Amino acid sequence: MSTARFKLVIKCTSLIAVVCLVLAGCGDGGDTGPGAGQGGTLAVGSLDTPLNLDPATGRAGTEYSYLKAIYDTLISYDPATLLPEPGLAESYEFRGPDQLEFVMKLRQGVKFQDGTTLDAAAVKTSLEYYKGAGVRKDLDPVTAITVEDPSTVVLTLKSAYSTLPALLADRAGMIISPAAIQKFGDTIADNPVGAGAYGVKSWTKKVSLEFAANPDYWRGKPGYDTLDVRFFEDEGAMISALTSGQVQYAYPVSAEQLPVVEAMPNLNVTTQQTLAFRFLRLNQDKPPLDDKRVRQALNLAIDRQALGKTALGDLDVVEATVPVPPNYYAYGTGTYGYPHDPARAEELLAEAGHAGGLSIQVCPSSSTPENLKEIQILSEQVARVGITLDVTQVPGQGCIDQFYKGDWSLMLTGHTGRVDPWFTYSEAWSGGGANNMNGGRPISPVIDERLTEILSISDAEQQKAKYTEINEAFLEEAPMVGLYFSPTITVKDAGVDGQVIDLQGKVILAGLKPAAAKAP
């Protein structure tokens, strides 16, 4: 793939003073043995609370940082560009005259956290488990998974699939221990076992998740013996824990907290633009959102700049009317956007038979103060054109689960992007996509046709024209109400180093390590 990708913008603030680095609760490391990592415990505070740690069945983007710590992937990627690189597969290639075989040569000697061997048979079992779970359809083009020898796996394809390496750098490529699949069965989501840098030592849902370093990790010793992740519902409480030394790393932090944390001595603040965006996901199979005019009216009723400023403060607001930002290659060569035009929104609603107004059900994917504030502002904006948002809060992951069962018309949520944009579009907005909310029907035949054509094109620059047509059709059909692209903001103690935030906006916990001591 070409290296033409969305440019990262990173802002780091280091404030000088001396405070004591407090390392909390050094546990015994479970069965990892002493010194499995490079030493000590890192206490992490997070608002991202996982409920499912099975890469095959989980749906929430907030799970991803933890999944990446537990599971290594067949294909890796450059965090800055998302371009594929060797991972558990030390080499890979498409084979045959039609390029319908994908051959992976695996690294030898890799162990799962339960001590069992990661070989070709294990990869076959994990891929078949992922495919059989049926939550995602991105392995459907794979018709056979063959073990050629203990270190060689061959995937046979029914059609061209240029984005397969990127897929195997994502959830599908997170290889699960077959022994754990057999042992835990339907409870594997609560008992994850992979070959990543850290294994799960203990997990109290919604409270804490303790990781122990994997002593057999093929990339070398992880940065810490233990990661102690503590979950917060209240961001203020998380920031207090950070400033008091109870945690040494915190994410995600809202822009509202930037003046607070930037004023704190010895804290480093990182603000990074990513592919992540906020949006209202629509159920087009549920009236009145089956009418394109209503969907367009919703888009025209939103003042994205005003909404974004309430969330991002002094940071730039990049509007998200299509699922990728303007300087990312999949944006194509067009200019897309919905102006804030309440008058036109009212006209469209009248044409659709809703001159007297209408009510639409919505649930926020989580009940954080930030989400609730955002839904309140959205409600006020659309009320001006006669749309009432009927808001219901659902505990835990209930909103997400119920939305995909068809219970809700709208869901306020975020999307963290995928390793390849093809999956962002195809998963939710193609006919038959796993998260298609149009009764499985195509949103637009143009979108499906161009997505199919992209699968025969491996170079990103050559894909631009196809994505231009996709985005034009996307804007016309209005299958979502995009809001704005959301940066990832993290705060760490000066004693923490090795931070990596990928282009998707996901924190790579496995990269964190103690900062080297400075010479006197």
Side-chain angles (χ1 to χ4, degrees):
M1 300 281 281
S2 164
T3 57
R5 296 281 179 166
F6 181 43
K7 181 181 179 182
L8 291 176
V9 180
I10 305 176
K11 174 188 175 186
C12 294
T13 305
S14 299
L15 300 171
I16 302 173
V18 178
V19 296
C20 179
L21 173 62
V22 180
L23 291 176
C26 295
D28 61 11
D31 59 2
T32 65
Q38 296 179 35
T41 296
L42 176 68
V44 177
S46 182
L47 300 176
D48 288 350
T49 304
L51 296 175
N52 181 331
L53 291 177
D54 175 5
T57 61
R59 288 186 181 272
T62 51
E63 302 158 357
Y64 200 85
S65 292
Y66 313 115
L67 293 173
K68 286 286 286 184
I70 298 165
Y71 301 99
D72 248 17
T73 49
L74 287 168
I75 313 295
S76 189
Y77 59 81
D78 181 334
T81 64
L82 304 183
L83 292 173
E85 297 177 341
L88 292 171
E90 61 184 3
S91 67
Y92 52 91
E93 64 177 348
F94 287 98
R95 186 173 71 181
D98 298 321
Q99 303 284 282
L100 296 183
E101 288 186 331
F102 187 70
V103 184
M104 293 177 285
K105 294 287 186 181
L106 304 178
R107 298 182 189 277
Q108 298 187 39
V110 177
K111 299 284 187 181
F112 289 106
Q113 293 138 4
D114 59 9
T116 57
T117 299
L118 192 156
D119 57 11
V123 169
K124 175 180 169 70
T125 298
S126 183
L127 292 175
E128 288 177 342
Y129 167 74
Y130 179 95
K131 190 175 168 89
V135 173
R136 292 173 180 81
K137 301 181 180 181
D138 39 22
L139 278 182
D140 282 3
V142 176
T143 58
I145 303 169
T146 306
V147 174
E148 279 198 349
D149 60 52
S151 61
T152 308
V153 183
V154 180
L155 307 188
T156 303
L157 306 171
K158 63 184 177 183
S159 56
Y161 203 4
S162 67
T163 56
L164 181 58
L167 172 65
L168 297 177
D170 208 331
R171 283 176 177 263
M174 295 179 179
I175 303 304
I176 308 171
S177 162
I181 293 173
Q182 182 176 18
K183 178 179 179 180
F184 296 112
D186 291 342
T187 65
I188 189 69
D190 298 327
N191 299 279
V193 181
Y198 290 94
V200 173
K201 184 177 181 181
S202 65
W203 182 17
T204 303
K205 289 189 177 181
K206 300 184 181 181
V207 178
S208 64
L209 176 58
E210 187 176 10
F211 291 106
N214 177 3
D216 297 317
Y217 189 45
W218 67 272
R219 294 181 189 267
K221 280 190 173 185
Y224 293 92
D225 290 342
T226 308
L227 295 182
D228 179 12
V229 183
R230 306 169 191 181
F231 303 119
F232 294 85
E233 293 185 0
D234 178 71
E235 186 181 18
M238 181 178 74
I239 298 301
S240 294
L242 178 72
T243 57
S244 66
Q246 296 176 57
V247 302
Q248 295 84 51
Y249 187 88
Y251 79 100
V253 176
S254 69
E256 186 178 12
Q257 293 291 336
L258 279 176
V260 177
V261 293
E262 288 180 339
M264 295 294 174
N266 212 42
L267 293 181
N268 298 333
V269 181
T270 298
T271 301
Q272 183 164 310
Q273 290 287 357
T274 72
L275 299 177
F277 62 93
R278 300 287 297 163
F279 72 118
L280 285 166
R281 191 180 280 282
L282 310 183
N283 183 351
Q284 290 179 234
D285 212 29
K286 201 175 183 69
L289 296 177
D290 57 342
D291 190 322
K292 178 171 66 176
R293 293 168 296 186
V294 175
R295 303 195 300 269
Q296 290 175 339
L298 269 170
N299 273 281
L300 291 163
I302 304 299
D303 184 343
R304 292 170 175 81
Q305 287 294 319
L307 177 70
K309 281 297 179 186
T310 63
L312 303 180
D314 292 334
L315 300 178
D316 291 339
V317 177
V318 180
E319 297 184 15
T321 49
V322 295
V324 291
N327 37 346
Y328 188 52
Y329 79 96
Y331 192 82
T333 57
T335 301
Y336 325 101
Y338 279 101
H340 179 221
D341 191 344
R344 178 57 181 152
E346 290 178 331
E347 290 175 4
L348 286 169
L349 290 174
E351 291 173 16
H354 302 290
L358 76 164
S359 178
I360 304 176
Q361 292 182 317
V362 59
C363 67
S365 60
S366 65
S367 297
T368 63
E370 293 76 22
N371 260 9
L372 298 180
K373 181 179 179 180
E374 199 160 76
I375 203 79
Q376 179 183 352
I377 295 169
L378 287 168
S379 296
E380 293 169 355
Q381 289 187 354
V382 301
R384 295 175 190 137
V385 303
I387 299 173
T388 300
L389 294 184
D390 181 7
V391 182
T392 300
Q393 297 180 48
V394 185
Q397 199 169 311
C399 172
I400 297 173
D401 293 339
Q402 292 172 19
F403 179 81
Y404 287 113
K405 291 176 183 175
D407 294 347
W408 299 99
S409 299
L410 290 171
M411 175 172 65
L412 175 64
T413 188
H415 192 284
T416 55
R418 297 290 298 274
V419 178
D420 190 289
W422 188 89
F423 296 105
T424 297
Y425 286 92
S426 64
E427 190 172 86
W429 296 298
S430 70
N435 292 333
N436 176 293
M437 297 304 292
N438 191 35
R441 301 179 298 277
I443 304 299
S444 159
V446 172
I447 293 176
D448 280 37
E449 289 165 8
R450 300 301 169 265
L451 286 173
T452 298
E453 291 165 3
I454 286 170
L455 291 178
S456 298
I457 304 171
S458 60
D459 184 78
E461 286 298 315
Q462 295 178 23
Q463 293 175 1
K464 274 189 175 182
K466 306 298 182 184
Y467 278 115
T468 299
E469 293 185 59
I470 288 171
N471 289 328
E472 289 169 348
F474 194 96
L475 202 70
E476 171 65 23
E477 294 300 325
M480 75 168 188
V481 180
L483 303 176
Y484 57 89
F485 287 92
S486 49
T488 294
I489 303 174
T490 64
V491 186
K492 66 184 182 70
D493 188 284
V496 180
D497 202 356
Q499 173 175 259
V500 177
I501 302 170
D502 71 19
L503 185 53
Q504 301 171 90
K506 294 161 182 173
V507 173
I508 309 301
L509 293 173
L512 296 173
K513 62 183 180 180
K518 293 183 179 179

